[in-house]
Amino acid sequence: MRLLIAAEFLGVSGKEVDSFKEYLEYNETEIAFDFVVNRLYNNNIEISPDVYRLICNISGLLALSNSEYDFIRELIRDDNKIPEPVKLGITKLIGSLDQPRPTDMDL
């Protein structure tokens, strides 16, 4: 459940969270885990080192190979790097500055 809470906080959509819960209701724990990890990766959601450790701990509890989820390391937040969502926001902001603004004459 901690992974679900982290995923919701990080921005996994409500529909995807509902799918995760449904897997758990049917005792499909491994599928639920895989689903959340892949949603984080496919949505390029940055994670903290703590969330990465949580993923590794859960995979160990489920007797899954940690190497199976090595790809998620790419998402670990780096304090020396601007997060991708911030880059996108800045790009949109800069792009909007290039757009002509309405003047009093246009109103």
Side-chain angles (χ1 to χ4, degrees):
M1 269 318 212
R2 285 180 45 204
L3 183 59
L4 173 62
I5 293 167
E8 283 183 289
F9 178 76
L10 293 169
V12 172
S13 77
K15 184 177 179 182
E16 293 170 327
V17 168
D18 290 342
S19 295
F20 175 83
K21 289 178 182 177
E22 190 173 326
Y23 287 128
L24 289 179
E25 286 174 19
Y26 290 100
N27 290 320
E28 298 287 355
T29 310
E30 291 176 16
I31 294 173
F33 173 72
D34 188 68
F35 180 80
V36 169
V37 170
N38 279 289
R39 292 292 75 70
L40 291 170
Y41 186 77
N42 291 335
N43 293 325
N44 200 30
I45 296 174
E46 291 188 334
I47 60 174
S48 68
D50 289 337
V51 171
Y52 177 73
R53 280 191 291 280
L54 177 62
I55 289 168
C56 290
N57 290 340
I58 293 171
S59 70
L61 291 171
L62 295 173
L64 302 171
S65 169
N66 278 345
S67 65
E68 201 172 326
Y69 295 97
D70 275 348
F71 63 89
I72 202 78
R73 282 178 186 242
E74 295 174 27
L75 300 178
I76 296 174
R77 187 177 317 125
D78 180 354
D79 290 338
N80 298 317
K81 178 181 116 182
I82 298 173
E84 199 61 36
V86 173
K87 283 183 192 176
L88 292 173
I90 291 171
T91 301
K92 286 180 184 177
L93 178 63
I94 291 171
S96 73
L97 296 174
D98 290 339
Q99 301 299 317
R101 300 224 177 247
T103 65
D104 290 337
M105 303 279 286
D106 294 331
L107 302 175

